Amino acid sequence: MDLWADTRRDPGGLIAEAIARALEPQLGIVARTARKAGLDKVKVGGLEVDTSKIGKIDGLTLTDALRLLHDHAGKPIALIIDEAQHALTSEAGEAAMTALKSARDQLNQPGVVNLMLVMSGSDRDKLLRLVNTAGAPFYGSQIQRMPPLGPDFIAHIAALIEAQRPELKPVDQTLLQQAFEVFGFRPQFFMAALGQVLSPLAALTGRFESALLDAAQQQQTHDEAQMESDYLGLKPTEQAVLWRMLTQGSRYRPYDAEALRFYRERTGHPVNATQVQRALEGLRQRMPALVWKSARGEYALEDVAMHRWFEKRGGAGKWPPTPPQGVLPLDDD
């Protein structure tokens, strides 16, 4: 399941619904007959099951639902959750993660794996919050960085293009790889741009590979310009808070003495915890949001690409961004 499939829904509910959908076909003819008769609940294996209430106070627990699913399927269960860090944005989502860990510990035995949990996400710093504190749902587990898609992926895409568009042979895989890297190894953006340059409506005058690389570079320039514009549009305290987040990453603590000293040095005036809280909320309320908040009150950058932008500018000696000549910076209220 993808917890970003519908960000308006509570992630805890999405997890419970995914388990319910997997369980329903396993309940057998008794459950199906009960549903056709208009019954909400059915006794299966000594448990009263209402799949619409799995994970809720008056329904089957996630552990019981997964145990029932395993018993009826007769085989190990693999639960794959993409963008798993989104579960931490609500108390119900975090409770669901804790319940999954409990289910894993109860269903698995030494040498026997009955429940496999695979969680992935696009932001390592946020995923670490699932494992890096004593109160985290999967405290003690490890986060592994998956290698980005590489030459094999590009070769596969090139083979598809050559099969569907023989007139484009041979495809320049080197330029495709360069474009993929500029897109930050993100397949969704790469494939969207590829579709555009290969469209009959594109009316290209040269090779599509060069057009794809140009599109990647233009997108990168546009994204960086947007980040600079967003940063310059912030109030001084908001800029200082965002700057601190960029420098600290997962080590960011909004209100400690070092952070308050940092804010004071960047703004030129004392900054208290209330002002920091107001700045963080302002950053969260922007459209799109610049800051992410967990149910535990932890903060992180919403878009991990902002770290790359920050590091690139810092390496070039162009940090912090400065307003164009003649444009006055904003003041705090």
Side-chain angles (χ1 to χ4, degrees):
M1 81 196 75
D2 181 358
L3 295 189
W4 271 357
D6 186 350
T7 56
R8 298 168 299 178
R9 299 283 307 282
D10 188 281
L14 291 173
I15 292 171
E17 284 185 11
I19 295 172
R21 286 196 301 272
L23 180 58
E24 282 187 344
Q26 301 295 331
L27 294 183
I29 190 169
V30 175
R32 290 194 293 272
T33 302
R35 283 197 296 274
K36 288 181 180 178
L39 300 178
D40 293 329
K41 300 176 182 179
V42 61
K43 285 277 189 178
V44 181
L47 294 171
E48 194 174 63
V49 179
D50 178 352
T51 55
S52 69
K53 293 185 177 181
I54 286 177
K56 298 181 180 179
I57 293 175
D58 56 346
L60 206 63
T61 67
L62 293 185
T63 299
D64 285 340
L66 287 166
R67 180 182 290 113
L68 189 60
L69 177 59
H70 172 259
D71 290 345
H72 281 261
K75 58 187 68 174
I77 302 166
L79 182 60
I80 303 173
I81 302 178
D82 192 22
E83 301 300 350
Q85 73 278 356
H86 187 56
L88 299 180
T89 59
S90 77
E91 292 182 3
E94 187 168 289
M97 285 293 179
T98 302
L100 290 178
K101 181 183 183 299
S102 176
R104 183 195 66 180
D105 294 344
Q106 292 183 47
L107 291 176
N108 292 345
Q109 303 169 10
V112 179
V113 177
N114 293 320
L115 175 61
M116 296 171 282
L117 301 176
V118 180
M119 302 189 187
S120 63
S122 55
D123 189 325
R124 187 173 185 271
D125 284 349
K126 295 189 185 79
L127 275 177
L128 280 170
R129 298 170 196 273
L130 286 166
V131 304
N132 65 356
T133 63
F138 291 94
Y139 179 60
S141 299
Q142 299 294 316
I143 295 289
Q144 297 181 349
R145 187 182 295 277
M146 298 294 290
L149 295 173
D152 288 348
F153 170 70
I154 296 300
H156 172 69
I157 296 300
L160 290 177
I161 295 171
E162 290 179 347
Q164 297 174 16
R165 300 279 298 274
E167 74 276 12
L168 296 177
K169 290 182 180 181
V171 170
D172 190 331
Q173 296 187 30
T174 300
L175 286 182
L176 292 191
Q177 180 69 40
Q178 291 176 13
F180 189 47
E181 292 173 5
V182 174
F183 275 120
F185 299 96
R186 294 174 293 182
Q188 65 271 34
F189 299 109
F190 174 79
M191 296 303 293
L194 184 60
Q196 291 175 2
V197 299
L198 287 175
S199 170
L201 301 177
L204 295 179
T205 57
R207 290 288 300 181
F208 81 93
E209 299 95 332
S210 298
L212 179 63
L213 182 56
D214 288 343
Q217 293 168 339
Q218 290 172 15
Q219 185 63 53
Q220 182 183 49
T221 299
H222 174 271
D223 290 347
E224 292 175 353
Q226 184 62 56
M227 290 179 196
E228 180 174 348
S229 176
D230 289 342
Y231 183 87
L232 292 174
L234 300 175
K235 299 171 183 178
T237 302
E238 292 173 338
Q239 288 185 349
V241 168
L242 190 65
W243 189 342
R244 181 69 174 175
M245 296 179 77
L246 286 163
T247 61
Q248 295 295 296
S250 61
R251 295 174 287 113
Y252 176 67
R253 300 294 180 270
Y255 313 113
D256 64 17
E258 286 297 322
L260 294 177
R261 184 180 303 112
F262 182 93
Y263 306 145
R264 184 179 67 245
E265 291 172 352
R266 297 304 177 276
T267 63
H269 59 76
V271 177
N272 58 39
T274 300
Q275 292 169 313
V276 175
Q277 178 64 39
R278 190 160 54 241
L280 285 166
E281 287 306 306
L283 293 168
R284 289 185 64 217
Q285 296 304 319
R286 292 181 67 88
M287 294 296 290
L290 296 179
V291 165
W292 173 93
K293 182 183 179 182
S294 76
R296 291 173 174 260
E298 302 166 314
Y299 294 92
L301 292 175
E302 183 69 50
D303 185 358
V304 69
M306 206 165 224
H307 281 294
R308 294 192 291 269
W309 169 69
F310 171 70
E311 292 169 358
K312 180 180 178 180
R313 288 195 69 114
K318 296 181 179 179
W319 186 266
T322 56
Q325 190 173 5
V327 176
L328 297 178
L330 295 175
D331 290 327
D332 284 316
D333 293 335

